[in-house]
Amino acid sequence: WISSAPSGTVTIGKQVLSGSGNYTATAGTRFIWVRAVAGGGGGGGAAGAATIAVGGGGGAGGYGEYWGAYSAPIAYAVGAAGTGGTAGNTGGTGGATTFGTAGAFLNLAAGVGGASNQSASVAFALGGAGGAATKVDFGISGGSGQAAIAPATTCGVSGEGAASPFGS
């Protein structure tokens, strides 16, 4: 609760980071609030030589927030999305997102790729696991991708990828 207006100038701004490097705040910054998500896993490859082929959905990356004082540049890495699985192969795991040396302030695990399965009769493939959110002030683990099943050559359901707090 503030009983009177703060003295001086207050400026609120934002920066969107990608890749990796060192975060350097604008001049005069004293505190920062970081919101981040790790890369999601790719879906399993659903094509193949077998009669029935399915691919599970990829898991979502962990989400986290960090609030803290700022005094010097801070190392960061933003994880990329995992690649979709090729015919009959598991999808790729996404990349982890970190803020601070070795993820000292934020450490978000990536989503795991969905599995793939081929069969002459019934095919079933699990979705990838979601990534955990550790070393955060607030965090949500990523959801798991949905499984895929095809009980016959004429019908089946492919696995949906998991959504992050930023959407699907």
Side-chain angles (χ1 to χ4, degrees):
W1 180 265
I2 298 175
S3 60
S4 62
S7 61
T9 302
V10 176
T11 303
I12 298 176
K14 74 174 184 175
Q15 293 183 29
V16 177
L17 305 176
S18 62
S20 62
N22 286 309
Y23 166 72
T24 302
T26 54
T29 297
R30 294 178 26 209
F31 298 95
I32 57 174
W33 173 24
V34 179
R35 299 176 60 201
V37 67
T51 306
I52 302 172
V54 295
Y63 167 83
E65 297 182 10
Y66 163 75
W67 303 277
Y70 176 82
S71 62
I74 300 170
Y76 72 89
V78 178
T83 57
T86 57
N89 292 296
T90 299
T93 296
T97 294
T98 59
F99 192 74
T101 303
F105 303 126
L106 248 168
N107 193 352
L108 306 172
V112 176
S116 177
N117 191 344
Q118 301 178 48
S119 174
S121 58
V122 176
F124 178 80
L126 292 174
T134 59
K135 294 186 181 177
V136 295
D137 289 325
F138 173 78
I140 301 172
S141 292
S144 295
Q146 292 184 348
I149 187 167
T153 58
T154 57
C155 65
V157 178
S158 192
E160 181 179 1
S164 79
F166 292 117
S168 55

